[in-house]
Amino acid sequence: MKMQIPKERGRDRKGPLSDSSVSSRMAGERQSASCYLDERTFRLCCQLFLQHSDSIQDGWCWEQIKGADEGFMRKTILIPVRSSGLHNPHLCTKQAEHTDLIEEDVQENVEDETAGVQAVCESRAVLRYEYHVLYSCSYQIPVLYFRASTLDGRPVSLDEVWSNVHPNYRQRLLQGPWDTLTQQEHPLLGQPFFMLHPCRTEEFMKPALDLAQAEHKTANYIVTWLSVVGPVVGLDVPLSYSTSVSAPD
């Protein structure tokens, strides 16, 4: 993303800035990587991300809203219920009906033809997680929305989502910056979704972007961001994204 540098207000009228002043200003700029991006850059980052997803068959796709310019990235996967998580007889009974099908899908790693679901679970009880990556005009950053349900379509409550979060990430959620895992209305679909509120994205993105800038490397914002927020709610990002997906020009 090209950034326009504002003109210097305090420039000496007798001549240009001294070499030392220019060096100091450039050093300051290198230390202030922006944590925000415009919608065009967001889409370019997503496009590069999706190209790699297609090459490794990772299941991501772009969903365009009919009759509008808005869209989002989407992926659906099956996640096993943790043994210390959900204890719902209704869930266990319904999941048992799908055991044979699930085990077959797990062995063959078959992608669902309609929802792009890859069965990666090794447990009898699983949940279907659907992840959406949207652009927030208010915060000028991406936001991760998701929802979870049983295989028979029963929505999972926020408490059940919490109980299925890995214990290591659960502590991180409680202590921050992930203390804002809430249920919100999807801004494009108008349906209830869970979301990781973006208000504290800068806390982890700025150090990552500053490090990349200091090492003279380019980082795809979506790859860096999703690699941090995804695993918190069960979404893993293969390492090949970091090594193969470039940043937009």
Side-chain angles (χ1 to χ4, degrees):
M1 179 177 62
K2 297 181 180 179
M3 299 179 62
Q4 294 184 348
I5 302 175
K7 296 181 180 180
E8 297 291 330
R9 295 184 178 180
R11 178 171 297 184
D12 189 349
R13 294 182 180 179
K14 296 181 180 180
L17 293 173
S18 65
D19 291 341
S20 59
S21 298
V22 172
S23 299
S24 299
R25 181 165 62 86
M26 292 179 64
E29 289 172 358
R30 286 197 297 267
Q31 296 175 359
S32 58
S34 174
C35 296
Y36 307 99
L37 70 166
D38 55 51
E39 188 170 4
R40 178 178 178 275
T41 305
F42 166 79
R43 292 199 175 215
L44 290 173
C45 287
C46 288
Q47 182 179 2
L48 294 169
F49 185 96
L50 291 170
Q51 289 175 359
H52 184 66
S53 174
D54 290 342
S55 68
I56 64 174
Q57 297 183 346
D58 195 31
W60 284 97
C61 65
W62 181 263
E63 289 287 337
Q64 189 72 30
I65 302 299
K66 293 182 179 180
D69 295 332
E70 291 89 352
F72 55 88
M73 290 204 310
R74 178 179 65 81
K75 181 179 181 178
T76 304
I77 62 175
L78 300 180
I79 297 180
V81 175
R82 298 193 175 279
S83 57
S84 60
L86 308 182
H87 297 284
N88 190 316
H90 174 74
L91 172 63
C92 296
T93 300
K94 292 296 182 181
Q95 296 294 351
E97 299 174 0
H98 300 271
T99 298
D100 294 337
L101 177 59
I102 293 170
E103 290 178 350
E104 180 181 352
D105 287 345
V106 171
Q107 294 174 359
E108 299 178 1
N109 195 27
V110 176
E111 181 175 357
D112 187 279
E113 295 181 356
T114 58
V117 178
Q118 287 186 332
V120 296
C121 62
E122 300 177 353
S123 171
R124 291 171 59 95
V126 297
L127 294 175
R128 178 181 284 109
Y129 273 69
E130 181 180 341
Y131 301 95
H132 292 185
V133 174
L134 284 73
Y135 178 75
S136 171
C137 295
S138 300
Y139 290 92
Q140 294 185 300
I141 50 178
V143 182
L144 180 62
Y145 284 80
F146 68 98
R147 58 184 172 185
S149 64
T150 60
L151 293 184
D152 64 341
R154 181 184 68 84
V156 175
S157 68
L158 179 58
D159 289 339
E160 290 172 316
V161 169
W162 269 105
S163 65
N164 207 42
V165 171
H166 191 282
N168 294 341
Y169 290 115
R170 197 178 305 160
Q171 290 299 320
R172 193 177 299 181
L173 280 165
L174 292 172
Q175 298 174 5
W178 307 119
D179 53 358
T180 50
L181 175 60
T182 59
Q183 190 169 30
Q184 300 279 342
E185 181 180 286
H186 194 291
L188 299 181
L189 301 181
Q191 302 171 1
F193 269 70
F194 301 110
M195 68 170 292
L196 289 171
H197 200 280
C199 62
R200 302 178 70 176
T201 300
E202 184 177 3
E203 293 187 16
F204 64 87
M205 281 302 297
K206 185 169 179 56
L209 295 176
D210 284 344
L211 178 60
Q213 189 178 59
E215 296 179 349
H216 305 287
K217 297 180 180 178
T218 58
N220 184 293
Y221 195 108
I222 296 298
V223 173
T224 303
W225 167 79
L226 196 58
S227 297
V228 177
V229 302
V232 177
V233 289
L235 176 63
D236 293 325
V237 179
L239 182 61
S240 60
Y241 280 97
S242 299
T243 57
S244 302
V245 182
S246 61
D249 295 334

